[in-house]
Amino acid sequence: MNPQDLLSQLRDVRAPIDIGWWPIAPGWWILGIFILVSLVSIIYISVKKYKQNAWRRQAMLDFIHLKKTYLQSPCPSAISEINTLLKRAITCTNHDNTYLSMTGESWAITLANPLSTEPKKATILSDEVINLLSFDQYKKSSGQLDQASLNSIEKWIKHLK
């Protein structure tokens, strides 16, 4: 055997073909599907939460308007409108229309602790504000709400869940 014949039978070394980006590996497909499902879930939950809090945004807009009106000219009818707004807000929160007809002691307990029926010691609204909204608004000469009381009512609306 001639060594030259053996060498002539060998082919040149060729570079391998470049690996393309398509088709992608199954792991990338799974990661892509996971990311897509996560984004859709986040968007769905965000939109759902945004719609569920529409009542809170509207209540805050209404309260800001009532607050401006009340600060310009304090009157018992404005206190009554604020009280009605609070009743509508808690009705939307708990999906229970019985709050709309509450007065007196039951409404005072709800104002003291809107998340349960039992009063707690630490409340958002002061006792004076609770008494004014529950009992005193029906009197001929009732007390007035100051800026701090109005701010606490605003905090009460934001606190509802």
Side-chain angles (χ1 to χ4, degrees):
M1 264 217 193
N2 187 2
Q4 292 296 338
D5 289 339
L6 290 175
L7 287 175
S8 67
Q9 292 177 5
L10 292 177
R11 295 185 196 161
D12 287 338
V13 177
R14 292 182 297 162
I17 299 172
D18 290 338
I19 298 174
W21 64 276
W22 197 261
I24 58 176
W28 288 109
W29 280 105
I30 293 170
L31 181 65
I33 290 170
F34 176 73
I35 290 171
L36 183 66
V37 168
S38 298
L39 286 174
V40 169
S41 299
I42 289 169
I43 291 170
Y44 175 77
I45 291 169
S46 299
V47 167
K48 186 176 177 181
K49 186 170 182 162
Y50 181 80
K51 287 181 180 179
Q52 285 176 346
N53 287 327
W55 68 267
R56 182 175 290 130
R57 288 188 305 278
Q58 187 62 45
M60 289 307 299
L61 289 174
D62 291 346
F63 181 73
I64 289 170
H65 175 69
L66 288 172
K67 185 177 176 181
K68 284 181 186 177
T69 304
Y70 182 78
L71 289 174
Q72 289 174 355
S73 62
C75 62
S77 64
I79 293 174
S80 179
E81 289 178 19
I82 290 171
N83 196 28
T84 303
L85 176 67
L86 295 178
K87 288 180 181 182
R88 286 191 345 236
I90 198 160
T91 297
C92 289
T93 301
N94 296 332
H95 306 291
D96 186 5
N97 288 336
T98 58
Y99 291 104
L100 294 174
S101 61
M102 280 188 172
T103 57
E105 189 64 32
S106 62
W107 181 234
I109 291 171
T110 303
L111 286 173
N113 187 15
L115 301 178
S116 82
T117 56
E118 298 177 15
K120 283 187 178 178
K121 291 184 179 179
T123 61
I124 296 172
L125 299 176
S126 67
D127 291 337
E128 295 82 23
V129 174
I130 292 172
N131 285 332
L132 177 65
L133 293 173
S134 301
F135 305 108
D136 294 348
Q137 70 169 337
Y138 305 110
K139 293 181 180 177
K140 194 170 193 175
S141 61
S142 62
Q144 299 294 323
L145 295 171
D146 59 350
Q147 184 69 35
S149 299
L150 291 170
N151 290 340
S152 67
I153 292 172
E154 186 174 346
K155 186 177 177 183
W156 189 88
I157 294 171
K158 289 179 182 178
H159 181 69
L160 294 175
K161 292 185 179 174

